[in-house]
Amino acid sequence: MSETAVAELPRDFDGLRTLILAQRESLPKRIAQIAAYALDNPDEIAFGTAASIAVSAGVQPSTLIRFAQHLGFDGFTSLQGVFRERLRERNSSYEERLNTLRAGEDAAAGNHRILDGFLTASRKSLDVMSRSLDHGALDHAIATLAEAETIYILARRRSFPVASYLAYALGKLEVRNQLVESAAGLSPEIISFATPGDAALVVSFSPYTPATIEDARGLAERGVPVVAITDSAFSPLASFAQTWFEVAEADFGGFRTLSSTMALAMALAVGIGDARRAGRGRRRRSRE
């Protein structure tokens, strides 16, 4: 193992994810395959054996060892420890997270510290997006969605507030849209109305909600253009979305903000509304 590899050895899941994404273009085929599987199925990596993981990922057990060593670990067990630590952090109760935030602080100072922590995390997320967003992808996404007869919006769990805002904003901008939610369990029926003349705007972050991924995949297979907001080039959405955006939100005390995601959602909504208005203006002038 090289000194460089030791120096860059990731200590947590976010660091590991960043390292994998930085190397994704140069990873050998089989190692890239297990890397994608690991980021899509972190719980399986944490709990599984080398043999069971290899079968699920469609690789040889020796590939897991090569994958771990490629990232600087001395073996697969060491790499697996990062995934297990992620589970311990993720499964900590909200009360435990609050206790961590409050540790060593009096009540008043703690409140100020919490606000400052989230503001700092939000600024970090927004700064990363400002530097990394592909403006060509933004233009293409807005053009695709603006041309759609109806925009179907899919998101669940932590991502749902983004979908709710998009539906609200697009409605105010007089852009026909359908928020895919149903207390009666009719989401499949709602989605079934989508045609290639429509488009889907999908939001999902790791650990990806299986229903969202399957709904979006079904739409893409039927020829409906999919625009996705997600968090990784290894996200299952990236494999079939016509256009996708990688958004990495910073966290404070285990709580992730949605500042970058909401900023991107606002830009998409307003951009779609503006493109629709410009299109109506051109059609009106052509008739004159």
Side-chain angles (χ1 to χ4, degrees):
M1 188 186 305
S2 69
E3 293 182 3
T4 302
V6 173
E8 297 177 352
L9 190 67
R11 297 183 179 182
D12 55 32
F13 183 76
D14 284 343
L16 178 63
R17 175 182 172 280
T18 299
L19 178 60
I20 291 173
L21 293 179
Q23 297 184 9
R24 65 178 180 263
E25 300 297 335
S26 60
L27 291 175
K29 181 179 178 181
R30 289 302 182 188
I31 291 181
Q33 182 177 336
I34 188 60
Y37 179 85
L39 292 186
D40 287 349
N41 304 275
D43 292 359
E44 297 298 324
I45 300 295
F47 287 122
T49 64
S52 67
I53 294 168
V55 170
S56 298
V59 299
Q60 295 296 319
S62 59
T63 306
L64 298 179
I65 299 172
R66 291 194 294 114
F67 171 53
Q69 292 176 340
H70 187 89
L71 297 176
F73 294 88
D74 55 12
F76 179 67
T77 300
S78 299
L79 172 64
Q80 197 172 37
V82 175
F83 287 86
R84 289 176 175 170
E85 182 60 30
R86 166 191 168 273
L87 275 182
R88 283 192 288 270
E89 293 174 355
R90 192 188 72 182
N91 292 334
S92 64
S93 69
Y94 276 80
E95 183 175 357
E96 289 172 337
R97 295 183 192 184
L98 290 174
N99 287 338
T100 299
L101 291 177
R102 296 284 191 179
E105 303 284 347
D106 60 51
N111 290 332
H112 295 162
R113 176 172 169 268
I114 290 170
L115 175 60
D116 185 62
F118 282 117
L119 290 173
T120 299
S122 295
R123 283 192 293 267
K124 179 179 179 181
S125 298
L126 292 166
D127 182 58
V128 170
M129 172 170 284
S130 177
R131 289 186 281 106
S132 63
L133 184 71
D134 184 334
H135 293 283
L138 181 63
D139 292 341
H140 186 264
I142 289 173
T144 298
L145 295 167
E147 291 171 0
E149 183 175 344
T150 300
I151 299 172
Y152 288 80
I153 306 170
L154 288 77
R156 293 176 173 89
R157 298 176 65 83
R158 185 171 75 91
S159 305
F160 186 76
V162 183
S164 180
Y165 170 78
L166 281 164
Y168 167 80
L170 290 172
K172 288 293 186 181
L173 291 164
E174 300 181 355
V175 176
R176 182 182 297 176
N177 71 91
Q178 174 64 61
L179 179 60
V180 181
E181 62 166 344
S182 171
L186 295 175
S187 293
E189 286 77 8
I190 293 172
I191 292 172
S192 71
F193 290 109
T195 72
D198 301 314
L201 181 49
V202 186
V203 188
S204 188
F205 302 112
S206 180
Y208 311 103
T209 306
T212 299
I213 302 303
E214 290 310 306
D215 288 345
R217 190 189 308 278
L219 286 165
E221 289 174 351
R222 287 175 17 225
V224 179
V226 174
V227 173
I229 300 175
T230 189
D231 58 359
S232 167
F234 291 113
S235 164
L237 290 175
S239 64
F240 55 79
Q242 188 177 92
T243 307
W244 62 275
F245 300 94
E246 181 176 346
V247 180
E249 297 282 8
D251 76 279
F252 177 61
F255 295 90
R256 290 192 182 276
T257 70
L258 283 171
S259 53
S260 299
T261 311
M262 290 299 294
L264 177 57
M266 293 174 72
L268 289 171
V270 174
I272 293 165
D274 186 56
R276 286 284 189 96
R277 184 181 63 177
R280 288 194 298 269
R282 286 193 296 270
R283 288 192 295 271
R284 185 166 53 248
R285 287 192 296 273
S286 67
R287 288 195 296 269
E288 294 173 352

